[in-house]
Amino acid sequence: MSDDPLLARTIPVLAAVPGVAAIVLGGSRARGTAHDTSDTDIGLYYRDGAAPDIDRLREAVTGLVDDPAAAHVTPVGEWGPWIVGGAWLTIGGRKVDLLYRSIDQVSAVIDACRNGEISMHYQPGHPHGFCPAIWMGEVALCRALHDPDGLVAALKARTAPYPPALRDALIRRFQWEILFSIENAELALPRGDSTHIAGCAYRALACVAQVLFALNGQYLINEKGALAHATNFPVTVRGLAGRAAEVWRQIGATEHAAALQMLRAIESELQKICRAS
């Protein structure tokens, strides 16, 4: 990563913090889809019982950031069990997010995913909820920047090929919820409850994205942009992007019944795809 001056400057400083066992680049910059204003997402991996020294981390980033007073560094666990914690920084005018991840806990999640065991958890910032398979996807898609003991490399080796058991578990978990959400929204039609209808529509479309990612053997690591990404998969719902946009136009115009009819058509087509796959 020496071709990126920000990373060349930042990674050695972070690697020197006690408890930081490995560092990875995630998000759009790891996948090669970033634009000039994209955030830089950096994962700090640690061993259970040897978490990063947060005081030393704060000291380290003070010498990197544009405005030390604006830097926010959390303890491990402050953002809950799944996002865990991290830091919001600006370095050289670029937004840099640090995220903590336990190597041991990520390893356990990968084992569970490979066995077809998944769950969903309430998590601020993830309006559809947090599926631990995100951690496996992060490993699969990341680029190791500092991995002296090969810990990330060992995790990454267990993410490919995409596990059939995970595919089946995700389809089983999310496909039924699409129609359930639509039917739930339909119960609110007589009341004209736009908020509830919109929430159900979002859940239905988020589940569509989960199923399409699974059908195509792709890891979904964030709801943001997932549906747009899914429209370009080899296996997908015809005209999905335009149909989803029409759902939201109709909801905005309080054409709730038409929006739910459109969602039913999407769900019906996805059912046929699943049966054929």
Side-chain angles (χ1 to χ4, degrees):
M1 302 305 299
S2 59
D3 58 333
D4 186 326
L6 182 147
L7 293 175
R9 174 186 169 206
T10 302
I11 299 312
V13 176
L14 297 176
V17 174
V20 174
I23 304 173
V24 305
L25 179 68
S28 60
R29 293 193 181 274
R31 298 192 299 272
T33 58
H35 48 77
D36 290 344
T37 60
S38 295
D39 296 350
T40 298
D41 298 318
I42 296 175
L44 303 183
Y45 282 73
Y46 62 91
R47 285 287 200 187
D48 281 353
D53 184 322
I54 301 304
D55 290 335
R56 291 282 295 275
L57 180 60
R58 287 195 183 100
E59 293 174 7
V61 302
T62 296
L64 294 170
V65 297
D66 299 349
D67 180 5
H72 180 66
V73 181
T74 80
V76 172
E78 182 160 305
W79 292 343
W82 299 109
I83 303 301
V84 186
W88 297 323
L89 313 172
T90 302
I91 302 175
R94 207 154 103 192
K95 191 172 182 294
V96 177
D97 295 334
L98 306 183
L99 288 172
Y100 310 142
R101 293 287 183 264
S102 160
I103 291 167
D104 303 285
Q105 292 173 31
V106 171
S107 179
V109 163
I110 291 174
D111 285 340
C113 289
R114 288 168 60 88
N115 289 329
E117 301 166 12
I118 60 166
S119 55
M120 282 290 280
H121 305 269
Y122 176 81
Q123 175 63 55
H126 285 264
H128 188 220
F130 191 95
C131 181
I134 288 172
W135 280 359
M136 187 175 187
E138 287 176 344
V139 171
L141 299 173
C142 77
R143 298 173 65 179
L145 304 176
H146 171 75
D147 189 25
D149 299 320
L151 300 172
V152 171
L155 293 177
K156 189 180 276 287
R158 291 157 55 201
T159 67
Y162 187 94
L166 176 60
R167 172 193 183 275
D168 294 344
L170 288 168
I171 294 170
R172 187 167 57 247
R173 171 62 182 80
F174 292 110
Q175 186 185 357
W176 73 269
E177 189 182 344
I178 302 168
L179 184 57
F180 179 83
S181 295
I182 296 168
E183 292 174 340
N184 203 352
E186 288 171 342
L187 294 174
L189 283 176
R191 302 191 305 274
D193 189 343
S194 295
T195 299
H196 183 74
I197 291 168
C200 291
Y202 172 80
R203 289 197 68 87
L205 289 170
C207 288
V208 168
Q210 288 278 6
V211 172
L212 287 172
F213 269 73
L215 285 169
N216 287 274
Q218 299 293 318
Y219 291 104
L220 191 158
I221 61 172
N222 199 305
E223 302 101 318
K224 290 186 295 186
L227 198 67
H229 192 170
T231 64
N232 297 314
F233 285 151
V235 178
T236 194
V237 172
R238 173 184 49 83
L240 179 58
R243 293 160 85 177
E246 180 62 10
V247 166
W248 293 118
R249 186 201 67 76
Q250 291 167 335
I251 289 176
T254 65
E255 299 168 7
H256 297 142
L260 298 182
Q261 185 176 1
M262 178 74 72
L263 282 172
R264 275 188 172 271
I266 292 171
E267 189 275 337
S268 178
E269 187 169 331
L270 184 59
Q271 271 199 47
K272 293 176 183 176
I273 293 170
C274 288
R275 285 196 295 267
S277 298

